[in-house]
Amino acid sequence: MLRVRTRQGFTLIELLVVVAIIALLISILLPGLGAAREQGKKAKCLANLRSIGAATHMYASEFEFLIPIHEQMRRSTSYWEWRIVHWFAWGGRSATEVLQTDQGFMRLADTGTYARPVYSAQRRPLNIYSLSEINEKDKASMELYRCPSDRGYPEHPSIDDAPQQSLGKPCYDILGNSYRASLSMLTYHSGGTSVGHFSFSAWGKRISTLKNQSDMILLGEPTFFNMIGMDNTGQQAPNPVLVMGWHKRPLIDNVLFCDGSARPTRASKRAPFDFMTYQQMQVANPNYLSRGNGWRIDCFPTPGAVIFGSTAQWKTWIGANWSTKWPFANRQVVGQN
Protein backbone atom coordinates (compact mmCIF):
# COMPACT_ATOMS: atom_id res chain seq x y z
CA MET A 1 0.00 0.00 0.00
CA LEU A 2 1.44 3.38 -1.02
CA ARG A 3 1.69 6.09 1.58
CA VAL A 4 1.02 9.66 0.57
CA ARG A 5 3.47 12.00 2.27
CA THR A 6 2.02 15.36 3.04
CA ARG A 7 4.31 18.41 3.02
CA GLN A 8 4.14 20.40 6.20
CA GLY A 9 4.46 24.20 6.23
CA PHE A 10 6.89 26.27 8.24
CA THR A 11 6.33 26.36 11.92
CA LEU A 12 5.74 29.65 13.68
CA ILE A 13 9.19 29.54 15.23
CA GLU A 14 10.83 28.99 11.83
CA LEU A 15 8.95 31.95 10.36
CA LEU A 16 9.98 34.16 13.25
CA VAL A 17 13.61 33.13 12.81
CA VAL A 18 13.49 33.95 9.08
CA VAL A 19 11.86 37.33 9.75
CA ALA A 20 14.46 38.11 12.41
CA ILE A 21 17.31 37.24 10.02
CA ILE A 22 15.84 39.45 7.28
CA ALA A 23 15.37 42.33 9.72
CA LEU A 24 18.96 41.91 10.91
CA LEU A 25 20.29 41.98 7.34
CA ILE A 26 18.25 45.09 6.55
CA SER A 27 19.53 46.86 9.67
CA ILE A 28 23.08 46.05 8.61
CA LEU A 29 22.67 47.04 4.96
CA LEU A 30 20.57 50.23 5.24
CA PRO A 31 23.19 52.42 6.97
CA GLY A 32 25.72 51.37 4.35
CA LEU A 33 23.34 52.21 1.54
CA GLY A 34 22.54 55.55 3.16
CA ALA A 35 26.24 56.34 3.55
CA ALA A 36 26.92 55.41 -0.09
CA ARG A 37 24.03 57.62 -1.22
CA GLU A 38 25.34 60.55 0.84
CA GLN A 39 28.85 59.95 -0.54
CA GLY A 40 27.42 60.41 -4.02
CA LYS A 41 25.72 63.64 -3.00
CA LYS A 42 28.95 64.93 -1.49
CA ALA A 43 30.82 64.18 -4.73
CA LYS A 44 28.15 65.99 -6.76
CA CYS A 45 28.38 68.99 -4.45
CA LEU A 46 32.18 69.14 -4.80
CA ALA A 47 31.85 68.91 -8.58
CA ASN A 48 29.41 71.85 -8.47
CA LEU A 49 31.85 73.93 -6.42
CA ARG A 50 34.78 73.19 -8.75
CA SER A 51 32.68 74.17 -11.78
CA ILE A 52 31.62 77.38 -10.05
CA GLY A 53 35.27 78.02 -9.17
CA ALA A 54 36.23 77.71 -12.83
CA ALA A 55 33.43 80.14 -13.76
CA THR A 56 34.52 82.70 -11.16
CA HIS A 57 38.10 82.58 -12.41
CA MET A 58 36.91 83.23 -15.95
CA TYR A 59 34.81 86.08 -14.58
CA ALA A 60 37.86 87.47 -12.73
CA SER A 61 39.97 87.34 -15.87
CA GLU A 62 37.66 89.99 -17.32
CA PHE A 63 36.31 91.87 -14.30
CA GLU A 64 39.17 91.30 -11.78
CA PHE A 65 36.92 90.18 -8.88
CA LEU A 66 36.45 86.50 -7.96
CA ILE A 67 33.13 87.11 -6.21
CA PRO A 68 30.77 88.90 -8.61
CA ILE A 69 29.25 91.99 -7.02
CA HIS A 70 25.48 92.21 -7.33
CA GLU A 71 24.08 95.67 -8.04
CA GLN A 72 22.18 95.69 -4.72
CA MET A 73 25.43 95.22 -2.78
CA ARG A 74 26.24 98.86 -3.54
CA ARG A 75 22.91 100.33 -2.45
CA SER A 76 21.06 100.88 0.81
CA THR A 77 19.07 97.74 1.55
CA SER A 78 17.06 96.23 4.39
CA TYR A 79 18.69 94.24 7.18
CA TRP A 80 18.03 90.72 5.85
CA GLU A 81 19.05 91.69 2.33
CA TRP A 82 22.60 92.55 3.35
CA ARG A 83 22.60 89.99 6.16
CA ILE A 84 21.75 86.94 4.03
CA VAL A 85 20.41 87.62 0.49
CA HIS A 86 23.62 89.29 -0.73
CA TRP A 87 25.68 86.27 0.35
CA PHE A 88 23.82 84.13 -2.22
CA ALA A 89 22.85 86.65 -4.93
CA TRP A 90 26.17 86.51 -6.84
CA GLY A 91 24.72 83.59 -8.86
CA GLY A 92 21.89 81.06 -8.94
CA ARG A 93 18.33 80.73 -10.06
CA SER A 94 15.24 82.73 -9.23
CA ALA A 95 13.90 81.49 -5.90
CA THR A 96 10.82 79.28 -5.99
CA GLU A 97 9.72 79.88 -2.40
CA VAL A 98 9.25 82.97 -0.27
CA LEU A 99 11.98 84.08 2.12
CA GLN A 100 10.18 84.91 5.34
CA THR A 101 11.77 87.27 7.87
CA ASP A 102 10.69 89.18 10.96
CA GLN A 103 10.43 92.22 8.65
CA GLY A 104 8.16 90.67 6.04
CA PHE A 105 8.38 88.49 2.94
CA MET A 106 10.54 88.43 -0.19
CA ARG A 107 10.44 86.22 -3.26
CA LEU A 108 13.79 86.54 -5.00
CA ALA A 109 12.26 86.25 -8.45
CA ASP A 110 10.64 88.44 -11.08
CA THR A 111 7.15 86.93 -10.70
CA GLY A 112 4.84 85.83 -7.92
CA THR A 113 3.65 87.34 -4.65
CA TYR A 114 6.30 89.48 -2.88
CA ALA A 115 8.49 89.33 -6.03
CA ARG A 116 11.85 91.09 -5.99
CA PRO A 117 12.91 91.05 -9.69
CA VAL A 118 16.30 92.59 -8.90
CA TYR A 119 17.33 89.23 -7.40
CA SER A 120 16.01 87.04 -10.23
CA ALA A 121 18.34 84.76 -12.18
CA GLN A 122 18.46 87.32 -14.98
CA ARG A 123 20.04 89.90 -12.63
CA ARG A 124 22.65 87.72 -10.86
CA PRO A 125 26.08 88.76 -12.15
CA LEU A 126 27.78 85.36 -12.59
CA ASN A 127 24.76 84.11 -14.54
CA ILE A 128 24.89 87.10 -16.86
CA TYR A 129 28.52 86.36 -17.59
CA SER A 130 28.55 82.54 -17.77
CA LEU A 131 25.14 81.63 -19.22
CA SER A 132 24.36 82.77 -22.73
CA GLU A 133 20.62 82.37 -22.15
CA ILE A 134 19.08 82.33 -18.69
CA ASN A 135 15.80 80.50 -18.55
CA GLU A 136 14.03 79.03 -15.51
CA LYS A 137 13.33 75.90 -17.56
CA ASP A 138 17.04 75.37 -18.11
CA LYS A 139 17.38 73.05 -15.12
CA ALA A 140 20.83 71.76 -16.10
CA SER A 141 22.39 75.21 -15.79
CA MET A 142 20.61 76.17 -12.58
CA GLU A 143 21.34 72.79 -10.92
CA LEU A 144 24.96 73.89 -10.76
CA TYR A 145 23.99 76.03 -7.77
CA ARG A 146 22.15 73.26 -5.91
CA CYS A 147 23.76 71.04 -3.31
CA PRO A 148 21.81 67.74 -3.34
CA SER A 149 22.01 67.66 0.48
CA ASP A 150 20.80 71.24 0.94
CA ARG A 151 18.66 71.28 4.10
CA GLY A 152 18.94 75.00 4.75
CA TYR A 153 20.14 76.58 7.95
CA PRO A 154 19.63 74.36 11.02
CA GLU A 155 16.49 74.99 13.04
CA HIS A 156 17.96 76.30 16.26
CA PRO A 157 17.45 79.58 18.17
CA SER A 158 21.20 80.32 18.23
CA ILE A 159 21.39 80.68 14.43
CA ASP A 160 22.14 84.34 13.68
CA ASP A 161 22.97 84.15 9.96
CA ALA A 162 19.40 83.62 8.78
CA PRO A 163 15.92 84.68 9.89
CA GLN A 164 14.36 82.23 12.34
CA GLN A 165 11.20 82.16 10.22
CA SER A 166 13.08 80.52 7.30
CA LEU A 167 15.27 77.99 9.12
CA GLY A 168 15.09 74.42 7.85
CA LYS A 169 14.11 75.46 4.31
CA PRO A 170 16.57 74.62 1.50
CA CYS A 171 18.64 77.65 0.54
CA TYR A 172 18.24 76.68 -3.11
CA ASP A 173 14.49 77.18 -2.78
CA ILE A 174 14.29 80.42 -0.78
CA LEU A 175 17.55 82.06 -1.96
CA GLY A 176 18.09 80.45 -5.37
CA ASN A 177 21.55 79.19 -4.41
CA SER A 178 22.91 76.58 -1.98
CA TYR A 179 26.33 78.22 -1.72
CA ARG A 180 27.15 81.23 0.40
CA ALA A 181 29.96 83.57 -0.61
CA SER A 182 32.56 84.63 1.94
CA LEU A 183 31.45 88.22 2.50
CA SER A 184 33.17 88.99 5.79
CA MET A 185 32.67 92.72 6.20
CA LEU A 186 32.08 95.70 8.39
CA THR A 187 28.62 97.16 7.75
CA TYR A 188 27.34 100.51 8.88
CA HIS A 189 23.59 100.78 9.06
CA SER A 190 20.95 103.19 10.20
CA GLY A 191 17.63 101.90 11.50
CA GLY A 192 18.34 98.48 10.01
CA THR A 193 19.15 99.88 6.55
CA SER A 194 22.70 99.49 5.28
CA VAL A 195 24.62 102.65 4.44
CA GLY A 196 28.09 101.19 3.91
CA HIS A 197 30.00 97.93 3.39
CA PHE A 198 33.74 97.49 3.91
CA SER A 199 35.15 94.04 3.11
CA PHE A 200 38.11 92.31 4.75
CA SER A 201 37.62 88.97 2.97
CA ALA A 202 38.14 87.98 -0.69
CA TRP A 203 34.98 89.92 -1.56
CA GLY A 204 35.78 93.08 -3.52
CA LYS A 205 39.49 92.30 -3.90
CA ARG A 206 41.24 92.15 -7.23
CA ILE A 207 42.41 88.58 -7.74
CA SER A 208 45.95 89.73 -8.51
CA THR A 209 46.25 91.17 -4.98
CA LEU A 210 45.08 88.11 -3.03
CA LYS A 211 47.66 86.07 -1.11
CA ASN A 212 47.21 82.57 0.37
CA GLN A 213 44.56 81.67 -2.19
CA SER A 214 44.84 77.93 -1.51
CA ASP A 215 43.33 78.29 1.98
CA MET A 216 41.28 81.49 1.58
CA ILE A 217 37.58 80.65 1.39
CA LEU A 218 35.68 81.92 -1.63
CA LEU A 219 32.31 80.31 -0.92
CA GLY A 220 30.83 77.13 0.51
CA GLU A 221 27.96 75.42 2.25
CA PRO A 222 26.52 77.95 4.71
CA THR A 223 26.54 75.68 7.75
CA PHE A 224 30.35 75.87 7.73
CA PHE A 225 30.18 79.58 8.51
CA ASN A 226 27.93 78.84 11.49
CA MET A 227 30.15 76.07 12.77
CA ILE A 228 33.22 78.31 13.04
CA GLY A 229 31.34 80.63 15.40
CA MET A 230 28.39 82.98 15.56
CA ASP A 231 28.76 86.45 14.05
CA ASN A 232 26.54 88.54 16.30
CA THR A 233 27.92 87.19 19.58
CA GLY A 234 31.60 87.12 18.64
CA GLN A 235 31.74 83.47 19.67
CA GLN A 236 35.14 82.15 18.64
CA ALA A 237 34.57 78.38 18.84
CA PRO A 238 32.14 76.03 17.12
CA ASN A 239 28.75 75.88 18.80
CA PRO A 240 28.38 72.37 20.28
CA VAL A 241 24.74 72.30 19.12
CA LEU A 242 25.52 73.12 15.49
CA VAL A 243 28.21 70.59 14.66
CA MET A 244 26.66 68.57 11.81
CA GLY A 245 27.21 69.59 8.21
CA TRP A 246 24.83 68.99 5.32
CA HIS A 247 26.59 65.73 4.43
CA LYS A 248 26.13 64.34 7.96
CA ARG A 249 29.74 64.81 9.01
CA PRO A 250 30.46 66.44 12.36
CA LEU A 251 32.01 69.92 11.93
CA ILE A 252 32.74 69.33 8.23
CA ASP A 253 31.24 70.94 5.12
CA ASN A 254 32.31 71.42 1.51
CA VAL A 255 34.17 74.63 0.76
CA LEU A 256 35.52 76.31 -2.41
CA PHE A 257 38.81 78.17 -2.07
CA CYS A 258 40.11 81.14 -4.03
CA ASP A 259 42.55 79.02 -6.06
CA GLY A 260 39.60 77.05 -7.49
CA SER A 261 40.08 73.93 -5.36
CA ALA A 262 37.16 72.46 -3.40
CA ARG A 263 37.36 70.06 -0.48
CA PRO A 264 35.56 68.97 2.69
CA THR A 265 36.85 71.31 5.40
CA ARG A 266 36.75 70.98 9.16
CA ALA A 267 35.34 73.96 11.03
CA SER A 268 38.12 74.19 13.58
CA LYS A 269 38.34 76.72 16.37
CA ARG A 270 39.47 80.13 15.17
CA ALA A 271 43.19 80.63 15.66
CA PRO A 272 44.06 83.06 18.45
CA PHE A 273 46.73 85.74 18.19
CA ASP A 274 48.56 87.32 21.09
CA PHE A 275 48.67 91.07 21.58
CA MET A 276 52.27 91.39 20.37
CA THR A 277 51.41 89.64 17.10
CA TYR A 278 48.51 92.01 16.50
CA GLN A 279 50.80 94.95 17.15
CA GLN A 280 53.32 93.66 14.62
CA MET A 281 50.59 92.96 12.05
CA GLN A 282 49.15 96.47 12.51
CA VAL A 283 45.59 95.13 12.60
CA ALA A 284 42.83 97.55 13.58
CA ASN A 285 40.68 94.92 15.28
CA PRO A 286 41.58 91.27 16.06
CA ASN A 287 38.00 90.22 15.22
CA TYR A 288 38.69 91.04 11.57
CA LEU A 289 41.11 88.08 11.43
CA SER A 290 39.24 84.79 11.05
CA ARG A 291 41.17 81.62 10.33
CA GLY A 292 41.63 78.04 11.51
CA ASN A 293 43.39 74.83 10.53
CA GLY A 294 43.54 74.82 6.71
CA TRP A 295 41.15 77.71 6.15
CA ARG A 296 40.93 81.46 6.45
CA ILE A 297 38.31 84.10 5.72
CA ASP A 298 40.34 87.28 6.19
CA CYS A 299 42.49 88.55 3.30
CA PHE A 300 45.44 89.79 5.40
CA PRO A 301 47.91 91.17 4.29
CA THR A 302 45.86 92.33 1.28
CA PRO A 303 44.15 95.63 2.17
CA GLY A 304 40.37 95.73 2.55
CA ALA A 305 37.95 97.22 0.07
CA VAL A 306 35.22 99.86 0.12
CA ILE A 307 32.22 98.15 -1.45
CA PHE A 308 29.59 100.76 -0.64
CA GLY A 309 29.71 104.19 0.99
CA SER A 310 31.94 107.15 0.18
CA THR A 311 35.55 107.19 1.29
CA ALA A 312 34.82 110.42 3.17
CA GLN A 313 32.08 108.67 5.16
CA TRP A 314 34.29 105.70 5.96
CA LYS A 315 37.13 107.95 7.06
CA THR A 316 34.73 109.58 9.51
CA TRP A 317 33.31 106.27 10.73
CA ILE A 318 36.68 104.57 11.27
CA GLY A 319 38.68 107.49 12.59
CA ALA A 320 42.40 107.24 13.36
CA ASN A 321 42.83 103.68 12.04
CA TRP A 322 41.58 104.67 8.57
CA SER A 323 45.06 105.43 7.22
CA THR A 324 47.31 103.44 9.53
CA LYS A 325 45.93 99.96 10.24
CA TRP A 326 44.89 96.89 8.23
CA PRO A 327 42.42 96.48 6.57
CA PHE A 328 41.87 100.22 6.08
CA ALA A 329 45.37 101.40 5.12
CA ASN A 330 45.97 101.31 1.33
CA ARG A 331 42.40 100.08 0.85
CA GLN A 332 40.94 99.15 -2.50
CA VAL A 333 37.80 100.81 -3.84
CA VAL A 334 35.12 99.03 -5.89
CA GLY A 335 33.83 101.36 -8.61
CA GLN A 336 33.16 105.00 -7.87
CA ASN A 337 32.31 105.98 -4.29
Side-chain angles (χ1 to χ4, degrees), residues 203-224:
W203 184 41
K205 311 306 185 310
R206 294 171 178 81
I207 188 173
S208 60
T209 67
L210 290 174
K211 313 294 183 184
N212 309 298
Q213 292 190 26
S214 62
D215 63 359
M216 185 180 298
I217 294 176
L218 182 64
L219 53 94
E221 294 172 323
T223 45
F224 177 87

Side-chain angles (χ1 to χ4, degrees), residues 23-60:
L24 178 62
L25 291 173
I26 291 174
S27 67
I28 293 172
L29 291 174
L30 279 182
L33 292 173
R37 189 160 46 245
E38 192 56 55
Q39 191 71 13
K41 292 180 179 179
K42 181 181 74 174
K44 175 65 166 60
C45 174
L46 287 171
N48 286 348
L49 288 172
R50 293 186 183 107
S51 296
I52 291 172
T56 60
H57 274 262
M58 289 189 293
Y59 181 92

Side-chain angles (χ1 to χ4, degrees), residues 198 282 284 303 311 314-331:
F198 189 99
Q282 287 291 292
T311 52
W314 278 105
K315 183 177 181 180
T316 301
W317 291 333
I318 300 302
N321 289 332
W322 179 245
S323 299
T324 60
K325 299 287 186 70
W326 181 90
F328 308 113
N330 302 314
R331 63 211 159 268

Side-chain angles (χ1 to χ4, degrees), residues 17 42 70 108 121-122 135 139 165 184 192 229 238 243 245 250 289 322 332 334-335:
V17 170
K42 181 181 74 174
H70 192 280
L108 310 183
Q122 290 83 355
N135 191 311
K139 298 297 182 182
Q165 296 81 356
S184 186
V243 296
L289 296 175
W322 179 245
Q332 300 179 36
V334 177

